[in-house]
Amino acid sequence: MDRAVSTTVSYVLSVAIAAMLVSGLLMAGSNFVTDRREQVARTELRVIGQQVATALERVDRLVVAGDGVDTARVNVTFPQHVTGSTYTIKIAESPQRVLVNMTDPDVAVEVHVDTSTGLTESSAGGGTVTIWYNGADLEVRNA
Amino acid sequence: MANLTRDRGQIILLAAFALALIFVSLALVVNSAIFSESLASQGGTTGATTALQVRHEAEVNVGEVIESANLHNWSSDSTLETAVKKGIENVSTQMARQQAATGALVSIAYNSDTDGVRIAQNSTSSSTFESADGAADYPVAQGVSPASGTGTRAFRINTTLGSLGSTNDTDFKVEVRDSTATGNTDTWRMNVWRPTGGEVRILVIKKSGGTVTSERCQYAVTDPVRIDVTGGTLDGKPCDALRTAPGGEDLSFASGAGSSYDIRFRNSSNIEGNFSMVVDDSATVPGTHVNSGPGGADSQPYETTALYSVEVTFRYDTADLNYETDIRVAPGEPDG
């Protein structure tokens, strides 16, 4: 026969141990998911950044080839959300690069570009993005 | 014993549900990663390459319109302009129809033109390049001072091996000299002769700002000998003497001769055949040496009104790309 043993206490103890083990497992699981989400967001933003860079170089070729270019414009479509959040695409003048960042998770990606035409500081959100030549430089905006 | 049968494992069940939810959200996140990877492998459209290819086609087609108008409609400046405008409209309609099949809109519109003068000799029999009054050394065009471009284009010579001189004293020379300079300071000169039986040699000497650069090219050719002076080829093969020197210096026609130059032929009795060139309107063509209009004898050079260059506006539109630009078309101008 068990002495000085209360069923309630042993019950509570086993539940508490089980709960601690389980919550440990859940925390590890959700950390894992957050990590993966950040990695995925980074990869996607990098892809978007490189596509914007390609489009910039494409418009640059069109501008350089003409004798007096009036219009040179390219539209590219990107997904509106990346892992459930919105993001911003920015182009920076010097050094020439494309910056894509989002706040949740906090990820920022930078892609270098090399164009003969200058770039103007401008930004656009996700969705359909237009890269165009404004007479002097290349600019980005939402279509 | 406590009764633990029915409620056993509640926490484990809850934990299992929570983990399942977490893994489902992980699956959603990974799914968007797969989408972005497929986006990356698409590689973007080749829109810009096609736009530039079509632009080049448009430039070539408009160039042919200009050449055709210069050959057939040279009676006056206004006839030339009308002919070129109609020709460009035709080119625009045809290219638009062609490109519409690939889902693109193309249009080419005439903007303006620059007048010029075509100097040529059309003999089919063997006649030398001597002037209308029989001189072997004479100026062909004086004071060529274009506002843009090089001032001379499409300078082509067709000759025969037998008619060329065989030493470099009797060779045919085309001399381009700065109109405002005295002496031999800023000049570009091309010598053409036949050093041995079946070969033609071209020697180009350029004197500019005190530096002398020269280059030669030589090929074995058979009749007819075709020289494209502004295009830089001899018998269809590239001739470095008319393009760039080994040190990288530009040797194209009239380079180094300044912004206003004269063109002279020397020893023109040592070459037979025909030639053609188009110079900018700013040039003066001496009427004693070059007939006005092709009415005179076949063996004499003549000049007619011509178009030197044309500016057009080229538009190319697809669903994702808009491109509009001005193009200056001057077929046969040296690329230098």
Side-chain angles (χ1 to χ4, degrees):
Chain A
M1 184 187 182
D2 297 323
R3 281 187 198 185
V5 170
S6 157
T7 44
T8 322
V9 170
S10 56
Y11 177 69
V12 166
L13 273 176
S14 28
V15 164
I17 291 171
M20 273 194 327
L21 286 174
V22 157
S23 66
L25 193 65
L26 285 177
M27 273 198 322
S30 71
N31 271 348
F32 175 68
V33 170
T34 314
D35 261 350
R36 284 300 288 164
R37 197 164 164 239
E38 202 180 298
Q39 258 182 27
V40 163
R42 183 155 300 150
T43 316
E44 278 205 60
L45 291 187
R46 195 174 302 136
V47 165
I48 290 172
Q50 283 169 351
Q51 294 217 325
V52 173
T54 312
L56 276 172
E57 285 173 1
R58 211 177 287 160
V59 180
D60 184 48
R61 272 166 65 195
L62 291 179
V63 168
V64 165
D67 286 329
V69 178
D70 293 319
T71 319
R73 200 188 301 150
V74 166
N75 289 346
V76 200
T77 314
F78 298 121
Q80 289 256 9
H81 302 282
V82 163
T83 65
S85 326
T86 53
Y87 57 95
T88 326
I89 300 169
K90 234 178 271 186
I91 54 177
E93 219 176 298
S94 124
Q96 291 183 327
R97 57 203 199 287
V98 176
L99 300 155
V100 190
N101 50 28
M102 59 194 285
T103 41
D104 168 40
D106 190 12
V107 180
V109 165
E110 191 179 300
V111 177
H112 284 270
V113 184
D114 195 5
T115 56
S116 316
T117 327
L119 302 177
T120 308
E121 307 263 341
S122 46
S123 66
T128 311
V129 167
T130 306
I131 290 141
W132 61 297
Y133 174 67
N134 66 6
D137 295 318
L138 300 177
E139 225 182 287
V140 74
R141 63 159 193 230
N142 282 115
Chain B
M1 284 282 255
N3 180 12
L4 300 167
T5 43
R6 239 178 256 153
D7 300 334
R8 193 173 295 180
Q10 246 180 9
I11 296 236
I12 298 177
L13 206 60
L14 276 174
F17 271 129
L19 273 176
L21 275 173
I22 287 177
F23 289 142
V24 164
S25 74
L26 179 67
L28 283 172
V29 161
V30 172
N31 188 42
S32 91
I34 292 174
F35 172 74
S36 75
E37 276 175 25
S38 81
L39 192 71
S41 66
Q42 264 171 26
T45 59
T46 51
T49 323
T50 321
L52 291 175
Q53 275 174 354
V54 175
R55 181 196 165 282
H56 179 71
E57 255 182 63
E59 196 177 325
V60 168
N61 289 346
V62 173
E64 302 205 346
V65 166
I66 297 175
E67 298 287 50
S68 164
N70 281 348
L71 276 177
H72 303 288
N73 307 83
W74 45 263
S75 50
S76 72
D77 274 339
S78 54
T79 341
L80 274 173
E81 203 175 295
T82 319
V84 157
K85 277 185 184 159
K86 292 227 162 91
I88 291 176
E89 263 172 44
N90 282 346
V91 166
S92 180
T93 315
Q94 279 182 353
M95 287 190 72
R97 212 172 281 158
Q98 229 180 19
Q99 292 299 318
T102 60
L105 292 174
V106 175
S107 92
I108 305 164
Y110 165 92
N111 267 353
S112 64
D113 62 66
T114 312
D115 290 326
V117 177
R118 180 167 170 261
I119 304 169
Q121 175 177 301
N122 294 358
S123 72
T124 48
S125 61
S126 47
S127 38
T128 63
F129 286 5
E130 281 170 357
S131 70
D133 54 344
D137 282 1
Y138 63 100
V140 177
Q142 290 166 313
V144 183
S145 40
S148 64
T150 52
T152 311
R153 65 170 183 83
F155 183 8
R156 298 185 186 115
I157 295 175
N158 285 340
T159 179
T160 53
L161 271 174
S163 63
L164 290 172
S166 52
T167 66
N168 62 357
D169 279 333
T170 56
D171 55 354
F172 168 66
K173 301 187 227 288
V174 175
E175 204 177 81
V176 179
R177 186 176 292 205
D178 189 332
S179 332
T180 52
T182 49
N184 225 1
T185 44
D186 291 326
T187 60
W188 180 97
R189 196 175 80 203
M190 172 181 84
N191 300 18
V192 182
W193 79 104
R194 171 179 47 96
T196 68
E199 303 205 326
V200 170
R201 185 180 295 177
I202 295 180
L203 170 67
V204 168
I205 303 174
K206 167 177 155 181
K207 291 183 188 149
S208 169
T211 335
V212 179
T213 332
S214 75
E215 172 70 336
R216 61 164 64 165
C217 74
Q218 184 168 328
Y219 288 117
V221 296
T222 54
D223 282 339
V225 181
R226 293 164 293 133
I227 305 172
D228 188 342
V229 183
T230 46
T233 63
L234 164 59
D235 198 35
K237 299 174 220 165
C239 178
D240 276 342
L242 295 166
R243 295 182 177 200
T244 31
E249 269 232 46
D250 176 28
L251 284 178
S252 56
F253 185 82
S255 59
S259 51
S260 170
Y261 57 85
D262 303 332
I263 306 176
R264 282 189 89 89
F265 281 359
R266 292 198 187 280
N267 287 352
S268 49
S269 37
N270 288 339
I271 185 169
E272 285 171 10
N274 52 49
F275 71 90
S276 170
M277 69 168 95
V278 180
V279 292
D280 184 76
D281 209 22
S282 50
T284 324
V285 180
T288 44
H289 302 304
V290 179
N291 291 337
S292 166
D298 231 10
S299 57
Q300 295 171 357
Y302 65 91
E303 52 123 351
T304 63
T305 332
L307 279 177
Y308 186 76
S309 70
V310 172
E311 278 231 357
V312 294
T313 305
F314 169 76
R315 262 201 87 101
Y316 180 86
D317 292 312
T318 61
D320 285 329
L321 187 140
N322 303 100
Y323 185 39
E324 182 177 332
T325 177
D326 291 333
I327 311 177
R328 175 177 170 269
V329 185
E333 204 169 46
D335 280 328

